[in-house]
Amino acid sequence: MRHLTDPTDLTRKETDDIVALALDIIANRQKYSEVCKGKKLATLFYEPSTRTRLSFTSAMMELGGNVLGFSDANSSSVSKGETVEDTVRVVGNFVDIIAMRHHIEGAPLDASLVSLVPIINAGDGAHAHPTQTLTDLLTITRELGHLDNLTIGFCGDLLYGRTVHSLIKAMSRYEGTKFVLIAPDELRLPDYIKHDVCEKNGIEYREVSSLEDVIGELDILYMTRVQQERFADKAEYERVKDCYILDTEKMALAKEKMAVLHPLPRVNEIAKAVDADPRAAYFRQVGNGKFVRMALMYTLLKWAEEGAAPLENHKAVEVEGLTCPNRKCICNNENVEPKFHITDSGVYRCLYCDTKVK
Ligand code: CP
């Protein structure tokens, strides 16, 4: 069974095919209006969402299918203590595909290990958000016409920003990609992504703290919200929350063809005046989310019917006595056996949340 819990659950070619399918759906909406007739999607959202949940819902409706689910886990038997594994085992009897958002990292991967139907990670804690990545790839394609040879500046909360982590993984597979990581010291990109993704793939990157100094070299500026809900120390959040504000003065320093992306919601990090700039692509980006989720669900349901085998990118190694140090990981929150994978550089990481354990 094929699932999407991480961008690497799709090969580069499969990713490109889904983006191409989304473009065909945009050009030929009627052709796809019944391709999922009789199919049902469950949206299991344990954490708030506007764009992701509603775009999944709208996407399945546009494919001719139906949708059920919850947007507040407290209204389900989760409030009685039902685990993620038991919940998806149950829900898999009622639907053909599940989109899950969870504040616990690794919950969608745990779900995929027991599920009867394809699981799509709709965002797990600070870890990953692969359908936002597909949205971002489609947006870059539509805005700039290509995914190769781009310099992408990620700005803001690179520590907790799951959309950043997933897009870096995906963009590292394209020729000529360069990253400029713009963040205060407290919100730098996690080491595992710098080492296991950027360095492993030979991607040029540098860490800076000034947006003004680098904006002129960027093809894409990917702004992010400082993720208040992930901070244990609220005083720390208050200190960094307005670390970057994109305004018209900074936009004046950017290339004429630069595109500004943001997964949204925004708080203060982009001034409203920037919305009128043709380079502000973030509201067009939201619309792309529906089309790429249509392409993804259509593809995963087709693969399920064909009995397609998964990639071998979540292979656990036999190792005793290790524990995951991430208190937000599924294996520290539910009765889930810890599992680990080992990187090319010999580092043990949690299979569910990628946290370094040894
Ligand atoms: N981009 C995104 O994930 O938005 P929501 O949290 O509203 O789903």
Side-chain angles (χ1 to χ4, degrees):
M1 174 86 61
R2 297 289 297 265
H3 307 276
L4 181 67
T5 63
D6 186 86
T8 58
D9 290 346
L10 297 169
T11 65
R12 153 87 194 265
K13 171 158 190 329
E14 288 165 348
T15 303
D16 290 342
D17 287 348
I18 287 171
V19 170
L21 179 57
L23 290 169
D24 194 55
I25 291 171
I26 291 166
N28 303 284
R29 301 269 286 268
Q30 199 54 38
K31 185 172 128 191
Y32 295 91
S33 65
E34 296 203 345
V35 293
C36 287
K37 197 171 175 187
K39 299 291 185 190
K40 292 193 261 335
L41 161 72
T43 54
L44 308 185
F45 275 56
Y46 295 72
E47 190 184 58
S49 166
T50 296
R51 276 145 292 274
T52 310
R53 188 174 65 84
L54 295 180
S55 64
F56 265 115
T57 302
S58 177
M60 184 48 94
M61 287 171 159
E62 284 219 21
L63 293 168
N66 289 300
V67 186
L68 51 96
F70 55 76
S71 56
D72 174 7
N74 288 323
S75 68
S76 75
S77 286
V78 172
S79 63
K80 302 172 201 161
E82 190 159 44
T83 63
V84 165
E85 290 185 11
D86 284 0
T87 301
V88 299
R89 278 196 178 105
V90 169
V91 175
N93 289 286
F94 309 139
V95 300
D96 304 283
I97 190 163
I98 294 173
M100 174 186 288
R101 169 168 291 191
H102 211 301
H103 51 281
I104 299 295
E105 295 172 20
L109 177 62
D110 179 38
S112 75
L113 300 178
V114 299
S115 182
L116 300 167
V117 299
I119 296 287
I120 301 172
N121 179 1
D124 62 326
H127 181 227
H129 196 345
T131 66
Q132 180 65 49
T133 298
L134 292 172
T135 302
D136 300 340
L137 296 177
L138 176 60
T139 303
I140 295 169
T141 304
R142 295 188 81 189
E143 296 293 322
L144 298 182
H146 59 99
L147 292 166
D148 290 322
N149 299 312
L150 294 173
T151 299
I152 306 171
F154 290 96
C155 181
D157 186 349
L158 311 192
L159 177 63
Y160 298 119
R162 59 192 174 196
T163 64
V164 171
H165 306 164
S166 290
L167 185 55
I168 285 180
K169 278 188 182 177
M171 285 305 299
S172 293
R173 305 201 282 200
Y174 292 88
E175 289 296 311
T177 296
K178 291 181 192 160
F179 297 131
V180 184
L181 307 172
I182 310 151
D185 286 344
E186 298 90 334
L187 298 177
R188 295 257 183 243
L189 191 72
D191 282 346
Y192 85 89
I193 299 181
K194 280 186 265 186
H195 301 149
D196 298 352
V197 181
C198 300
E199 287 163 22
K200 184 178 161 196
N201 290 298
I203 298 293
E204 194 181 314
Y205 73 91
R206 69 187 208 274
E207 296 186 285
V208 301
S209 53
S210 165
L211 174 57
E212 290 92 322
D213 285 356
V214 297
I215 193 168
E217 43 183 288
L218 306 178
D219 301 303
I220 303 284
L221 173 57
Y222 197 95
M223 293 298 294
T224 61
R225 174 179 68 92
V226 177
Q227 308 255 309
Q228 179 177 10
E229 64 275 30
R230 316 262 178 240
F231 281 73
D233 178 353
K234 294 300 167 201
E236 172 102 342
Y237 168 72
E238 289 296 325
R239 202 167 54 248
V240 295
K241 69 178 185 183
D242 290 326
C243 52
Y244 299 101
I245 297 178
L246 181 65
D247 54 21
T248 50
E249 286 75 31
K250 293 190 190 80
M251 286 297 286
L253 304 171
K255 288 182 187 173
E256 209 181 308
K257 290 280 180 203
M258 186 188 77
V260 182
L261 273 63
H262 189 312
L264 304 181
R266 75 170 147 188
V267 184
N268 281 332
E269 59 279 358
I270 302 180
K272 265 178 77 174
V274 176
D275 297 356
D277 190 307
R279 295 168 293 181
Y282 30 92
F283 288 115
R284 295 190 290 276
Q285 190 179 355
V286 177
N288 289 329
K290 178 181 74 175
F291 297 113
V292 93
R293 289 179 176 108
M294 289 171 76
L296 174 67
M297 288 192 285
Y298 182 36
T299 302
L300 284 175
L301 286 166
K302 184 160 65 73
W303 284 344
E305 273 176 22
E306 292 166 1
L311 306 182
E312 297 205 337
N313 57 326
H314 295 294
K315 257 195 141 157
V317 292
E318 292 286 329
V319 53
E320 282 181 16
L322 289 186
T323 53
C324 174
N326 178 6
R327 64 188 170 81
K328 293 178 182 164
C329 179
I330 187 76
C331 67
N332 291 321
N333 285 273
E334 295 197 354
N335 185 14
V336 171
E337 184 196 354
K339 290 185 180 164
F340 304 94
H341 64 105
I342 186 164
T343 68
D344 294 345
S345 46
V347 175
Y348 286 93
R349 295 196 179 278
C350 174
L351 192 72
Y352 299 101
C353 70
D354 285 308
T355 299
K356 184 177 178 178
V357 289
K358 191 164 108 179

